[in-house]
Amino acid sequence: MAYIEPAPIKDKENPLESMMERFNLAAEKLGLSDEVYNVLKNPAKQVIVSIPVTMDSGKIQVFEGIRVIHSNILGPAKGGIRFAPDVHLDEVKALAAWMTWKCAVVDIPYGGGKGGVRCNPREMSAGEIERLMRGYTKAMLDVFGPDKDIPAPDMGTGPREMAWLMDEYSRAKGTTINAVVTGKPLVLGGSLGRTEATGRGVMVTALAAMQKLKINPFQATCAVQGFGNVGSWASQLLEERGLKIVAISDISGAYHNENGINIQEAIAYRDSNKGTLEGFKGGDKLADPMDLLELDVDVLVPAAVEDVITVKNVDRIKAKLIVEGANGPTSAKADAIINEKGIMAVPDILANAGGVTVSYFEWVQNRLGYKWTAERVNRRSDRILKDAFDHVYEASQKYNVPMRIAAYIVAIDKVAKTYTFRGGF
Ligand code: NAD
């Protein structure tokens, strides 16, 4: 359950178009000028490198590495590095832009970036992955930097790879610079509170939304899809605040209990059972795990994978509130029907922004040369998430748009205004 910096894996055919669809709607509502629209539509920088790596066989293999900086108007670019066999420039461009909007929604001083290396880490030894990560870092020495572009883990990478990146960058600069990357192991300057950060943000935004919808947490029911990092932390924290979690699920199936599932027990069971809920007896197993999404609950938290709420099932969804722990769980076409049904959906770029917020705290602590307590990290990230929710809610009222488009409006407006004030173009 390694930390992964937020990134959507929406429409696999063309992720750039999927992101642009929502961007365009928000830009139109906002009355964005053509000039600024064109600037924000295009990434500021795209770098493609070839990375020769000596494989264990002794042969040299050349890998393609990409880094895209979509915008650095608000501050240094921030975004993960994805190691995957099918990663491509269009995808990385979409993910980089998406990071710009996400950081802007939670008002942290970062632009958006993303990286990718076309490789299959599952088929590579630890030594090969290390040489690839170091090679990628060397090739990106002029791109990365604590004031320029700060990578983090994404699919196929984790704290181990970030440690290699930090070391390679520091060797080249002749001094330890841990603020060049986030998602590091704790001992290298990672932040306390980061593991639970995303689930915590889901809890904070869910409670804020419930307040607006006048749903009493102590009388509310909730179903959570996905019981990994985000889903299990969100379940635990929501349960602690009074909600009855009546269903949870993971790749092994969905488990339902009208009287409420004991989340501590479920976590303990998963941890003692190779990370899966298979065989969990705290609830009845649903015949079809996707039925979890259609249960008659107040709050639904999709926290597993993308594209699970689609035109195929959205008609049968009964929840009053959806809080997107996962990235891209709702397809663009289902969006419209959710809105027609009057369901409030707290979008991914807001609901799961707790992760990037604590990444930002990791960078702040590294630069201060100081370590905050978990309590301080939690308090500060709760405040950021609550403020972000309030801004997005206000925008949704002002522009009479759903929360998703309102989140894009808040983000685009901030970047556009900063761009216009800075000028120089
Ligand atoms: P994880 O790997 O820790 O957990 C994923 C969970 O989903 C597992 O329990 C897995 O069994 C389950 N799952 C997989 N396929 C499923 C399916 N079809 N139906 C039901 N359950 C299924 O991952 P995570 O870190 O919890 O991430 C979950 C989602 O949240 C992803 O979309 C991720 O991009 C997003 N996200 C994560 C973070 C973070 O900090 N970890 C931050 C922002 C967004």
Side-chain angles (χ1 to χ4, degrees):
M1 289 187 289
Y3 169 78
I4 290 181
E5 185 127 303
I9 326 160
K10 290 199 187 100
D11 172 5
K12 285 230 161 85
E13 299 296 305
N14 196 329
L16 193 56
E17 264 174 28
S18 162
M19 192 275 298
M20 285 308 292
E21 215 173 291
R22 277 131 174 185
F23 172 71
N24 286 343
L25 267 173
E28 200 182 299
K29 279 276 172 194
L30 205 52
L32 200 66
S33 73
D34 285 351
E35 286 89 345
V36 178
Y37 175 86
N38 284 331
V39 170
L40 300 186
K41 195 174 89 165
N42 295 300
K45 186 187 270 194
Q46 306 172 52
V47 183
I48 301 182
V49 293
S50 296
I51 313 156
V53 174
T54 307
M55 305 305 278
D56 292 347
S57 64
K59 293 218 165 76
I60 291 174
Q61 196 175 325
V62 180
F63 294 87
E64 182 183 276
I66 303 169
R67 187 75 188 168
V68 173
I69 293 179
H70 169 257
S71 166
N72 46 15
I73 286 295
L74 298 182
K78 184 89 192 80
I81 299 168
R82 181 168 283 197
F83 275 17
D86 54 354
V87 65
H88 56 88
L89 185 61
D90 247 11
E91 175 186 348
V92 180
K93 276 161 70 174
L95 300 177
W98 197 80
M99 282 302 292
T100 303
W101 313 135
K102 182 158 217 157
C103 294
V105 167
V106 281
D107 202 18
I108 56 181
Y110 282 150
K114 205 80 191 180
V117 178
R118 199 184 270 262
C119 67
N120 190 348
R122 283 166 206 255
E123 289 174 1
M124 295 167 72
S125 70
E128 289 170 341
I129 297 175
E130 176 173 355
R131 292 191 287 280
L132 178 57
M133 195 57 187
R134 288 185 185 276
Y136 178 68
T137 307
K138 263 189 216 145
M140 296 292 174
L141 277 180
D142 293 336
V143 179
F144 295 158
D147 292 309
K148 284 157 71 176
D149 179 21
I150 307 139
D154 193 89
M155 266 162 58
T157 62
R160 180 183 71 163
E161 285 73 18
M162 300 308 112
W164 290 328
L165 190 159
M166 189 276 257
D167 181 71
E168 194 62 38
Y169 185 85
S170 298
R171 278 170 197 265
K173 302 291 173 185
T175 181
T176 296
I177 305 177
N178 55 8
V180 69
V181 61
T182 64
K184 299 179 292 292
L186 262 183
V187 69
L188 293 190
S191 178
L192 289 169
R194 198 195 59 224
T195 315
E196 64 266 43
T198 306
R200 217 183 148 80
V202 169
M203 176 273 287
V204 170
T205 52
L207 288 188
M210 288 166 72
Q211 202 177 17
K212 299 289 180 201
L213 296 174
K214 304 203 174 5
I215 301 175
N216 179 349
F218 291 95
Q219 287 163 4
T221 54
C222 174
V224 181
Q225 184 190 46
F227 207 63
N229 175 293
V230 181
S232 64
W233 274 106
S235 301
Q236 183 180 331
L237 295 167
L238 285 168
E239 187 192 47
E240 278 170 20
R241 274 142 190 93
L243 282 88
K244 194 196 283 179
I245 314 295
V246 296
I248 56 173
S249 73
D250 70 0
I251 195 73
S252 74
Y255 307 83
H256 181 224
N257 183 343
E258 275 299 330
N259 299 319
I261 288 175
N262 183 324
I263 299 301
Q264 288 295 350
E265 271 176 31
I267 292 173
Y269 181 83
R270 177 202 63 189
D271 293 348
S272 66
N273 193 39
K274 299 193 183 113
T276 142
L277 289 170
E278 181 72 66
F280 179 61
K281 294 285 180 274
D284 300 326
K285 198 165 179 176
L286 297 177
D288 180 351
M290 289 296 278
D291 287 349
L292 174 142
L293 301 169
E294 300 170 22
L295 290 172
D296 191 2
V297 289
D298 298 298
V299 184
L300 176 63
V301 179
V305 287
E306 73 279 12
D307 278 337
V308 290
I309 300 173
T310 66
V311 284
K312 288 194 195 131
N313 61 2
V314 64
D315 274 336
R316 296 189 296 277
I317 286 185
K318 299 176 194 73
K320 300 179 187 78
L321 169 66
I322 299 173
V323 186
E324 296 186 340
N327 283 313
T330 309
S331 75
K333 287 203 179 89
D335 261 1
I337 305 172
I338 287 179
N339 302 334
E340 273 168 29
K341 284 171 67 123
I343 301 171
M344 183 192 277
V346 184
D348 46 11
I349 59 170
L350 169 62
N352 68 32
V356 76
T357 302
V358 176
S359 277
Y360 162 60
F361 290 167
E362 178 177 335
W363 176 82
V364 170
Q365 291 169 78
N366 293 161
R367 288 167 71 97
L368 288 172
Y370 191 67
K371 233 173 172 16
W372 295 347
T373 60
E375 192 267 333
R376 173 168 292 203
V377 169
N378 290 341
R379 187 161 29 87
R380 292 187 171 180
S381 70
D382 288 358
R383 193 175 63 218
I384 286 186
L385 270 290
K386 175 67 170 62
D387 286 352
F389 178 90
D390 289 344
H391 288 144
V392 171
Y393 186 80
E394 269 166 34
S396 81
Q397 302 288 303
K398 178 174 169 195
Y399 292 93
N400 192 22
V401 292
M403 290 288 280
R404 187 183 313 282
I405 300 307
Y408 275 84
I409 287 179
V410 166
I412 294 170
D413 188 41
K414 179 160 190 223
V415 180
K417 277 198 182 119
T418 311
Y419 189 78
T420 311
F421 270 120
R422 286 184 64 163
F425 39 85

